[in-house]
Amino acid sequence: MYIVVKPDKCTGCEGCISSCPFDAIILQSGVAYINPEICQLCKACLGVCPEVAIAEIEDTPQSSATSHELSAYKGVWIFAEQRNGKVSSVSYELLGVGRKLSQELETELSAVLFGANEEEARELIKWGADRVYLCNDPLLEKFNDTPYADLLSRLIKEHKPAILLAGATPIGRSFIPRVAARVRTGLTADCTSLEIDKQTRSLFQVRPAFGGNIMATIICPNHRPQIATVRPRVMKRGEYNADRSGEILNIKAENLFSKTKVIDIIKEISELTVNLHEADVIVAGGRGLGDAKGVKLLEELAQALGGAIGASRAAVDEGWISYSHQIGQTGKTVCPKIYIACGISGAVQHLVGMQSSDIIIAINKNPEAPIFNVATYGIVGDLYEVVPLLIKKIKEVKGL
Ligand SMILES: Cc1cc2nc3c(=O)[nH]c(=O)nc-3n(C[C@H](O)[C@H](O)[C@H](O)COP(=O)(O)OP(=O)(O)OC[C@H]3O[C@@H](n4cnc5c(N)ncnc54)[C@H](O)[C@@H]3O)c2cc1C
């Protein structure tokens, strides 16, 4: 959908200009014009024109795209986000899956990097990118929705990638939907798997739907690029090759502006204390803990292993542990080397947050619990008997 001014009806009275909260309406050659790049389709301008010159139109540039037009879109792109000038690990994970997709499509893999230096761009090449579109403008050093969305949309329009992947992080979630709206295409958020359909060469975007009860495969057949976001730690990193070479294209940030200025970025306290994303070992507890005392027991095990504490939503809802520890669909997604699930049944909403872990050890007194279907090692038993034995043995082995 578009909102346009019908030039034959517009009298140039300028009455509509102030109605737009995004300053998308300007006067051009005596008639009002709505810039579709800036318009957010909020519809605030509809109805303000006394001549009824402002109207919605359903047609979009790509809605009638032919297969010939779609085939003009080539290549796989990943958006490489950075914090404090350092590329975030999710970007390397996106390069891992991006490499796989680009090989299947026999096309190039590019990364887009804003607000970081060439050294970081070279790292992206070593992790699998053939090309990096780098814009090192100071305006882009701290994440800001408007210039990020403006520049990425411009690059997409100019270079026409077939696929764009971004992290389902606060940054990706904030501005990638704007980009999708600007380039008039679809977006599938929080994908857990991405595959190429061998027949159509379209992207199969798989994600949980209906509260995680089904896995939906979503396609974007008539619009390009196909845009998907992926949560951190869902995909594995690709291979690092220090000798890999690629191309770095320096982009100028011309005519970029922002009405807002990021003054400072302050980390949430929970992010500082619960570093589940970085932990190699996570000991997680569920309703089977019975009460908050169980958390203390798991803390002892985690401490012996040098790990962090996770939880199912049931344990969080019971008030035994804070939400910042929750793992799953509405919590964090983790991918440690070892995940020990204690008294967790294995509901799909929990599994989507931890099933990529390298080794999963499940302790549950019900041998039929679904967690055993994803577990590398299963211990059927009461966690209050098993966990103290584990702690004792680990302390012995470690000489603690
Ligand atoms: C929209 C939506 C989003 C959700 N998001 C999440 C999410 O992000 N994360 C999440 O975890 N859940 C989430 N859930 C909830 C999810 O569906 C389950 O209800 C929840 O994961 C169950 O937690 P649990 O396994 O700890 O509890 P239960 O399913 O009650 O399982 C407890 C297990 O402990 C075992 N047990 C009991 N006592 C002992 C013992 N002494 N020793 C050993 N084993 C024992 C039992 O056999 C049982 O298997 C979501 C649900 C919805 C609808």
Side-chain angles (χ1 to χ4, degrees), residues 286-287 312-313 326-330 343 345 349-350 364 382-383:
R287 203 190 319 265
S312 73
R313 177 159 144 185
Q326 185 176 315
I327 288 164
Q329 189 185 323
T330 41
S345 60
Q349 295 89 352
H350 187 79
N364 197 304
D382 187 328
L383 70 93

Side-chain angles (χ1 to χ4, degrees), residues 207-226:
R207 58 151 294 151
F210 294 105
N213 289 318
I214 60 159
M215 296 305 278
T217 300
I218 295 165
I219 53 169
C220 179
N222 301 320
H223 298 77
R224 291 292 180 273
Q226 303 156 92

Side-chain angles (χ1 to χ4, degrees), residues 10-270:
C10 176
T11 58
C13 71
E14 300 187 21
C16 57
I17 290 179
S18 60
S19 71
C20 178
F22 302 99
D23 293 342
I25 311 179
I26 53 168
L27 204 66
Q28 244 183 15
S29 311
V31 288
Y33 167 74
I34 300 177
N35 185 341
E37 298 248 328
I38 300 174
C39 173
Q40 304 293 309
L41 303 175
C42 72
K43 303 188 184 181
C45 57
L46 290 178
V48 301
C49 177
E51 307 300 325
V52 201
I54 301 179
E56 284 179 74
I57 53 167
E58 288 302 323
D59 197 15
T60 68
Q62 285 195 35
S63 62
S64 56
T66 61
S67 56
H68 174 68
E69 283 164 328
L70 293 184
S71 66
Y73 288 78
K74 289 194 170 59
V76 177
W77 280 19
I78 68 112
F79 180 78
E81 65 182 61
Q82 56 80 19
R83 285 158 204 238
N84 299 321
K86 285 270 162 228
V87 169
S88 305
S89 62
V90 67
S91 311
Y92 301 126
E93 293 156 20
L94 294 174
L95 282 173
V97 64
R99 189 80 250 161
K100 183 181 87 97
L101 300 176
S102 67
Q103 274 166 357
E104 280 175 46
L105 289 170
E106 295 174 345
T107 184
E108 286 185 334
L109 173 64
S110 303
V112 179
L113 177 61
F114 295 162
N117 60 26
E118 288 215 3
E119 200 182 318
E120 292 298 303
R122 276 194 293 277
E123 276 300 290
L124 292 169
I125 290 170
K126 290 173 190 170
W127 278 104
D130 299 310
R131 181 181 303 116
V132 180
Y133 295 93
L134 172 68
C135 183
N136 199 0
D137 192 277
L139 183 64
L140 303 170
E141 273 170 14
K142 291 196 174 101
F143 171 71
N144 192 335
D145 277 304
T146 323
Y148 267 56
D150 280 351
L151 190 56
L152 186 55
S153 314
R154 279 188 218 169
L155 290 173
I156 289 172
K157 285 179 185 168
E158 194 180 333
H159 300 281
K160 298 192 180 340
I163 293 172
L164 168 68
L165 309 178
T169 59
I171 290 180
R173 286 182 182 176
S174 177
F175 91 106
I176 294 294
R178 283 176 187 245
V179 172
R182 294 236 179 124
V183 300
R184 315 279 171 196
T185 189
L187 161 64
T188 308
D190 286 0
C191 293
T192 51
S193 157
L194 296 164
E195 307 284 337
I196 299 294
D197 174 9
K198 292 204 168 51
Q199 278 180 342
T200 62
R201 292 168 63 84
S202 298
L203 183 66
F204 280 158
Q205 303 160 75
V206 182
R207 58 151 294 151
F210 294 105
N213 289 318
I214 60 159
M215 296 305 278
T217 300
I218 295 165
I219 53 169
C220 179
N222 301 320
H223 298 77
R224 291 292 180 273
Q226 303 156 92
I227 305 185
T229 62
V230 180
R231 283 202 202 182
R233 296 280 187 148
V234 167
M235 304 288 174
K236 299 265 182 217
R237 287 182 178 204
E239 269 178 36
Y240 184 82
N241 179 353
D243 299 326
R244 226 172 166 278
S245 58
E247 185 184 13
I248 298 175
L249 293 177
N250 283 295
I251 309 293
K252 285 208 174 71
E254 279 161 357
N255 301 326
L256 276 190
F257 71 95
S258 174
K259 284 188 197 165
T260 53
K261 186 174 165 201
V262 179
I263 297 165
D264 199 4
I265 294 170
I266 298 160
K267 275 198 169 191
E268 249 189 276
I269 290 173
S270 61

Side-chain angles (χ1 to χ4, degrees), residues 210-213 231 285-290 311-317 320 323 326-332 339 341-353 363-371 379-386:
F210 294 105
N213 289 318
R231 283 202 202 182
R287 203 190 319 265
L289 293 176
S312 73
R313 177 159 144 185
V316 173
D317 288 349
W320 302 334
Y323 168 72
Q326 185 176 315
I327 288 164
Q329 189 185 323
T330 41
K332 293 193 165 98
Y339 188 89
C342 308
I344 293 177
S345 60
V348 65
Q349 295 89 352
H350 187 79
L351 299 185
V352 292
I363 304 168
N364 197 304
K365 63 182 186 187
N366 175 8
E368 304 298 325
I371 190 78
I379 303 172
V380 180
D382 187 328
L383 70 93
Y384 284 98
E385 289 170 19
V386 177

